[in-house]
Amino acid sequence: MTSPEQQPLDAARHIRYWQRCFRSLLPHHYTSNDSIRLTLGFFIIAALDLLSSSSSYSEPPSNPLKASLITPDDRKRLRAWVLSLQHPQGGFCGSPHHVLPEKYQTRWDAIDQVESARDPANANIAATYFALLLLGILAEDDGSKAFEGVHRIKTLRWLKRLQRDDGSFGEIIDEDGYVGGGRDMRYCYLAATIRWALGGAEAGEDFNVDALVGHVRRGQTFDGGLGESSTHESHSGYAYCAVAALSLLDLANPNATTEPNRYLHAGIPSIPSLVHFLACRQFDYLEPESDGENEESQNHPLPDLSSLSLSDTPQVAGFNGRLNKVADTCYAWWVSGTLSMLDRGGVIDRGPARKFIIEKTQHLIGGFAKYPGGPPDVYHAYLGLAALATMAGDDENTKEEGLGRFDPRLCIGLEASERLAKAREALLAPPEDDDSDDDRCAEETEKIKKELDWERIQETIARLEAKWKAEGKIPIFEMDKWNPSNPPNLEDFLKGAP
């Protein structure tokens, strides 16, 4: 509940903003982000879910699905869209433009008698994370059927290949098997979420958990924060990803009752130092003295020492991600979410932090901006809601009016998180008849191969690859030029080939 002296969240304004994002075209500024269309979709759908989940109402609705801003028809349509982005060899693609026709995605290794990805770099770890969370948000009933249609084993095997020897994870695998992307904590978190959601340990397709924990442990820096390594700059966003990854490892630990927070304590050498680092990310927000003031310095004027007092209470306080950076909406989430998982949410001053979000970065049309005075964007607009929901705490008397309960580990509403947990349970439940399912799957596979004339297509593509290599061309680049909705006649390419 909002205190009388604080401005309440205008939930209706934010609902209108998110409905515009969902029902109409996004502004042209998002054009360059088409490769992460799935990510943009996640923020929009997750926000609508948070603003209309059962716990967002003062009195829970009798029919939560009917009360949701996401209609049953939208759920079916969006679920089909998410699954259409799945790569047949595991993982999800970030945009429909990264999805090639299936016959160009898979090759058959006649020697090893296995399928492999012909375009492995099109699936990425971030898209896979957002796809699985979206399926949980969009699930109907209790969510137990959310992961139907997901290539569980193939995705877990693909995930294992993304882990490096030092325990870190990358973003993609190229056609030579090279793991691309950084080594920071973001990919560790994404990997831990996918592992938990699909039951990697229980499926017998687990990655090296101890190596991952070791990589996170080596990331704590001298100031208590987390970086890519102990010699890199600490960052509150990395701190969130590290703590959330370890928390999800603990959530999947079968011995959690006898080993509470085993991985959290193993992966963070000094939790008090981390809490201190996070608490120091909050500071007084100072209005810029002029419109032309430099963005990087507007919050760091030289103080008037005569006016300083230890008894002064901040009126408005923002958060930054690193030392000497300006206040930013998203860091209210990265900091409060991390402290919530560490059960230390009370160390920040919630009132002034809430004022920064509501009074400084909330936009007239709804949503939140990155900085005061800026335009709203779906990333900061969603994380602004996440920060408000998390800083409010779990007490019914302190709940942020208009928002549902929130799960800081998964960064989604609590009800959606519970549906994901049900989907995970359904995956782990023993199948009723393994043999008949396997036989049916094998029969269906052979039927599809026969319809596609699979062997002839694979032979033709193999000849094409040999032709391109002889011409000094890279086969995957040549295939990327094809229009997925209107693939060319392969025989035309082979004219003049041996």
Side-chain angles (χ1 to χ4, degrees), residues 135-164:
L135 291 174
I137 294 170
L138 296 169
E140 299 178 296
D141 301 323
D142 66 349
S144 57
K145 297 182 179 179
F147 292 153
E148 286 189 355
V150 174
H151 303 325
R152 178 194 181 194
I153 300 301
K154 286 184 176 180
T155 297
L156 289 171
R157 289 173 179 169
W158 167 80
L159 181 65
K160 286 167 62 177
R161 294 177 59 206
L162 283 169
Q163 188 175 30
R164 303 184 182 93

Side-chain angles (χ1 to χ4, degrees), residues 265-287:
H265 290 296
I268 308 294
S270 176
I271 291 178
S273 297
L274 174 58
V275 171
H276 179 268
F277 167 81
L278 294 168
C280 290
R281 304 277 58 77
Q282 186 175 26
F283 58 97
D284 283 359
Y285 171 75
L286 304 174
E287 293 286 358

Side-chain angles (χ1 to χ4, degrees), residues 104-422:
Y104 303 128
Q105 291 178 308
T106 302
R107 62 158 56 91
W108 176 256
D109 188 331
I111 297 176
D112 295 330
Q113 293 291 296
V114 294
E115 291 180 339
S116 62
R118 191 184 298 278
D119 62 331
N122 280 335
N124 71 79
I125 195 171
T128 305
Y129 162 87
F130 287 118
L132 295 178
L133 293 192
L134 265 173
L135 291 174
I137 294 170
L138 296 169
E140 299 178 296
D141 301 323
D142 66 349
S144 57
K145 297 182 179 179
F147 292 153
E148 286 189 355
V150 174
H151 303 325
R152 178 194 181 194
I153 300 301
K154 286 184 176 180
T155 297
L156 289 171
R157 289 173 179 169
W158 167 80
L159 181 65
K160 286 167 62 177
R161 294 177 59 206
L162 283 169
Q163 188 175 30
R164 303 184 182 93
D165 291 339
D166 64 358
S168 68
F169 279 81
E171 182 179 14
I172 61 168
I173 304 170
D174 69 15
E175 61 178 350
D176 296 321
Y178 175 77
V179 177
R183 297 174 184 267
D184 59 68
M185 302 302 155
R186 293 172 299 175
Y187 305 127
C188 297
Y189 167 57
L190 301 175
T193 304
I194 297 167
R195 172 188 183 265
W196 171 80
L198 297 182
E202 294 80 359
E205 297 291 347
D206 207 0
F207 55 66
N208 190 332
V209 172
D210 291 337
L212 171 59
V213 174
H215 175 68
V216 174
R217 184 179 180 85
R218 291 188 295 273
Q220 188 162 32
T221 59
F222 73 95
D223 59 1
L226 271 295
E228 183 173 318
S229 73
S230 62
T231 59
H232 285 222
E233 185 179 19
S234 53
H235 193 289
S236 58
Y238 287 176
Y240 168 84
C241 290
V243 171
L246 297 170
S247 297
L248 286 163
L249 294 181
D250 281 321
L251 188 62
N253 183 8
N255 302 316
T257 54
T258 58
E259 301 174 333
N261 297 323
R262 169 190 171 186
Y263 293 111
L264 180 62
H265 290 296
I268 308 294
S270 176
I271 291 178
S273 297
L274 174 58
V275 171
H276 179 268
F277 167 81
L278 294 168
C280 290
R281 304 277 58 77
Q282 186 175 26
F283 58 97
D284 283 359
Y285 171 75
L286 304 174
E287 293 286 358
E289 295 181 358
S290 66
D291 292 338
E293 193 168 357
N294 184 278
E295 184 182 86
E296 289 297 319
S297 63
Q298 65 184 16
N299 261 311
H300 306 289
L302 293 175
D304 179 3
L305 298 181
S306 64
S307 67
L308 296 180
S309 170
L310 293 176
S311 62
D312 284 349
T313 302
Q315 298 302 308
V316 179
F319 292 85
N320 61 16
R322 296 172 286 163
L323 188 64
N324 290 327
K325 294 295 183 180
V326 298
D328 181 330
T329 298
C330 71
Y331 290 114
W333 154 248
W334 298 123
V335 172
S336 63
T338 310
L339 289 171
S340 176
M341 288 185 287
L342 295 173
D343 198 24
R344 296 298 302 276
V347 303
I348 58 175
D349 205 334
R350 294 177 179 176
R354 187 181 181 280
K355 276 189 173 184
F356 175 77
I357 298 174
I358 295 292
E359 298 179 11
K360 300 301 179 183
T361 67
Q362 183 175 223
H363 200 274
L364 179 66
I365 66 169
F368 299 100
K370 177 180 176 68
Y371 300 126
D377 64 82
V378 297
Y379 171 74
H380 289 91
Y382 180 68
L383 294 187
L385 296 178
L388 292 173
T390 302
M391 289 191 295
D394 297 324
D395 190 333
E396 184 64 34
N397 295 323
T398 62
K399 175 183 170 298
E400 185 70 49
E401 294 180 17
L403 295 181
R405 298 290 183 195
F406 205 72
D407 184 345
R409 286 176 301 199
L410 297 175
C411 195
I412 57 175
L414 186 60
E415 289 90 339
S417 172
E418 291 170 348
R419 292 194 291 274
L420 273 171
K422 284 291 185 181

Side-chain angles (χ1 to χ4, degrees), residues 2 21 25 29 139 258 287 323 441:
T2 307
C21 292
L25 298 176
H29 308 87
T258 58
E287 293 286 358
L323 188 64
C441 181

